[in-house]
Amino acid sequence: MTTLVSTTDTVTRDALAVLQPGFTGTSAPDWLLRRIGEGLASVGLFGRNVESAEQLAALTARLRSERDDVLVAIDEEGGDVTRLEVRNGSSFPGNLALGTVDDTVLTRAVARELGRRLAECGVNLNWAPSADVNSNPENPVIGVRSFGPDTGLVARHTAAYVEGLQSAGVAACTKHFPGHGDTAVDSHHAMPRIDVDLDTLHARELVPFRAAIAAGSKSVMSAHILLPALDPTRPATLSPQILTGLLRTELGYDGLIVTDGMEMDAIAGTYGIERGSVLAIAAGADAICVGGGLADEETVLKLRDALVAAVRSGELPEERLADAAARVRALASWTQGVRGAAPGPGADMQEGTAPGTGAGIGLVAARRAVRVTGSGSPLDGPAYVAAFTPVANIAVGDETPWGIAAELTRMMPGTGTDTYDSERESPAEDILRAADGRRVVAVVRDVHRHAWMGEALDALVAARPDTIVVEMGLPKAPPRGALHIATHGAARVCGTAAAEAVVGTPAG
């Protein structure tokens, strides 16, 4: 009887150890602290948990008062996907901007500074970078989160990002294995499917992950996507052929495998999160990410109990669960060993990157990513900024401000602004009326994916040929306007760099 209790306690602790749950609020709830004391080894943070760097540091310190080696993870890609600066927009451009510059020294420096800030706040695991090759420009969820459509470019910048982030003492989590770039469906809403052959997968999707593994990425995140060439029945997160056969055996990866959010409909709507979590661990995953939408104690207990029941029934080998928990603890041990190793904000960058170090490196990178076409003149007086707003995807969220209006209003007093969406019947007419003779600056995001934006822009430019167009998404549509400014992302610093280009001078 004693042996049975001991075994059960071990299995229960291992089941808790493999979970990476979220929670609501900006302080740690009692239930979370209690479960950390019982064996929960990881916690996931989202924008709802962050008010300031000081508050976040206090939160993570409270978590570590229960368990010094707890993994504190966050989804901080920089660029469009920011949790650290969710209320104001990121100080760092995202992957597409970095890929556009194509300076791996710069990418490494940006990731290093981002990692330094995370480490200062007590975060030691970042669910980044995205290593997806954005081969499908209609992709609704990756886009500017990718370094670009070129496999070699994505591979070298993925490796540089991993190296930079981990040099600051923060574990990287390269995602979304085996590659989410060729999808036309958002896995938050449904199950994406990639119908390409094995040769294409190996030559395109897998190359950046090989580079990340060679760079020492401490974790890899699986994707909820179906790839019939690898497994015709189960998505990657639940597939032994993909997680164990491909990632572990063929690619030789020995680090932590983390799932994408299990509450996403690709899993929750097909298998349910409890069944899906059991299948994921059995397939070779080591950590279950849940908490973006489900963030309560009941979810944690349901998943813990589902894993324990699967072990008891023989569906999930106890050794597999123990191995998964051991990998989680091993990563936690690594983060303890490198804690305090983060560089200072003024740490020198390697030769080869444009001037700007530490806190200023994000704006340096954003400025270098701006591309201006057209022969029109910059602004010389107040303008009217029309921001075209598409529906935000869940990964990016709609709570983070974007655009150039705030910066341009500061630089050009008297500038007006408003937002426009697909519900407007005649947005161009409304914009021209509101502009009242001022020059129009139209700010768009992925205009190639939104017919209503393209139609409105064409009408604007026809009526006002001096219109300036700022594209803050994927610049796939033909340039429009007297000046066309592509920022390759919608981070706050990208907005600043775009405003500078609009007026033809750096911000003061």
Side-chain angles (χ1 to χ4, degrees):
M1 187 68 175
T2 302
T3 302
L4 178 60
V5 172
S6 175
T7 301
T8 302
D9 285 349
T10 299
V11 171
T12 301
R13 290 184 69 83
D14 286 348
L16 278 172
V18 302
L19 303 180
Q20 290 189 352
F23 62 95
T24 57
T26 55
S27 59
D30 290 341
W31 70 262
L32 182 64
L33 298 173
R34 186 169 60 253
R35 299 305 170 189
I36 290 173
E38 293 174 0
L40 186 68
S42 307
V43 174
L45 300 178
F46 298 85
R48 61 177 180 246
N49 305 122
V50 182
E51 284 183 346
S52 67
E54 294 76 18
Q55 166 268 326
L56 182 56
L59 168 59
T60 59
R62 181 67 183 95
L63 295 173
R64 292 202 168 87
S65 71
E66 295 294 326
R67 178 174 182 154
D68 188 54
D69 68 343
V70 67
L71 285 171
V72 181
I74 199 167
D75 193 9
E76 180 58 56
E77 300 177 13
D80 291 29
V81 180
T82 180
R83 314 307 180 203
L84 199 61
E85 299 181 274
V86 66
R87 288 165 174 77
N88 299 308
S90 182
S91 300
F92 303 93
N95 283 4
L96 183 62
L98 295 172
T100 298
V101 177
D102 195 13
D103 178 350
T104 54
V105 175
L106 179 66
T107 295
R108 192 176 295 108
V110 167
R112 182 179 174 89
E113 174 62 15
L114 177 58
R116 185 191 67 79
R117 295 194 193 182
L118 290 173
E120 280 191 341
C121 294
V123 175
N124 54 11
L125 172 58
N126 190 11
W127 293 321
S130 166
D132 306 298
V133 179
N134 198 56
S135 55
N136 183 354
E138 298 299 320
N139 195 316
V141 68
I142 301 301
V144 297
R145 300 168 65 198
S146 166
F147 289 110
D150 179 83
T151 298
L153 180 145
V154 174
R156 61 180 174 267
H157 285 276
T158 296
Y161 197 105
V162 167
E163 291 166 355
L165 189 65
Q166 294 186 168
S167 72
V170 176
C173 185
T174 307
K175 61 188 182 185
H176 306 80
F177 186 82
H180 211 309
D182 193 19
T183 62
V185 173
D186 185 344
S187 51
H188 289 90
H189 303 298
M191 181 78 75
R193 178 186 176 110
I194 298 180
D195 286 302
V196 297
D197 57 31
L198 284 175
D199 288 343
T200 301
L201 287 170
H202 280 275
R204 188 178 65 188
E205 270 74 20
L206 296 181
V207 173
F209 290 96
R210 290 183 184 273
I213 292 169
S217 184
K218 294 296 179 180
S219 61
V220 168
M221 179 175 282
S222 67
H224 305 328
I225 55 177
L226 192 66
L227 297 100
L230 295 171
D231 188 331
T233 59
R234 288 187 180 177
T237 296
L238 312 183
S239 171
Q241 293 97 307
I242 294 175
L243 297 189
T244 299
L246 177 59
L247 183 53
R248 287 275 186 237
T249 304
E250 186 172 344
L251 300 188
Y253 181 64
D254 195 41
L256 188 77
I257 301 177
V258 183
T259 72
D260 206 345
M262 297 299 284
E263 69 271 34
M264 294 162 63
D265 276 353
I267 299 297
T270 307
Y271 298 87
I273 63 168
E274 294 162 71
R275 175 71 177 156
S277 295
V278 170
L279 292 174
I281 297 295
D286 305 305
I288 301 295
C289 176
V290 64
L294 299 172
D296 53 38
E297 184 177 22
E298 182 181 4
T299 299
V300 172
L301 296 181
K302 282 182 177 179
L303 295 181
R304 178 201 67 182
D305 293 346
L307 292 166
V308 171
V311 170
R312 288 174 175 168
S313 71
E315 180 184 9
L316 175 62
E318 184 176 344
E319 296 77 11
R320 170 77 275 272
L321 180 62
D323 174 65
R327 291 181 189 275
V328 173
R329 294 172 187 134
L331 181 56
S333 179
W334 177 84
T335 63
Q336 276 192 305
V338 298
R339 191 183 300 173
D348 292 336
M349 298 187 326
Q350 298 178 41
E351 185 179 353
T353 297
T357 61
I361 190 62
L363 183 55
V364 169
R367 286 169 173 160
R368 292 182 64 187
V370 168
R371 300 290 183 268
V372 181
T373 55
S375 57
S377 61
L379 285 183
D380 58 5
Y384 182 77
V385 180
F388 291 58
T389 57
V391 176
N393 69 61
I394 292 177
V396 173
D398 57 9
E399 68 268 42
T400 303
W402 67 281
I404 72 167
E407 186 68 17
L408 198 56
T409 300
R410 183 188 71 79
M411 298 169 71
M412 286 287 187
T415 292
T417 184
D418 203 353
T419 58
Y420 299 83
D421 59 28
S422 60
E423 299 301 315
R424 297 256 193 166
E425 290 187 8
S426 304
E429 295 178 12
D430 293 345
I431 291 166
L432 291 168
R433 190 178 306 113
D436 193 24
R438 290 171 294 185
R439 195 167 175 188
V440 175
V441 180
V443 185
V444 298
R445 208 168 177 177
D446 291 344
V447 68
H448 70 285
R449 296 182 50 240
H450 304 284
W452 68 272
M453 282 190 199
E455 292 167 3
L457 281 184
D458 287 340
L460 271 177
V461 172
R464 289 290 302 268
D466 63 347
T467 295
I468 297 174
V469 178
V470 179
E471 170 63 85
M472 301 193 76
L474 202 65
K476 285 296 181 182
R480 296 173 169 91
L483 282 180
H484 183 273
I485 299 166
T487 63
H488 303 94
R492 175 172 50 82
V493 287
C494 294
T496 298
E500 293 174 350
V502 167
V503 301
T505 181

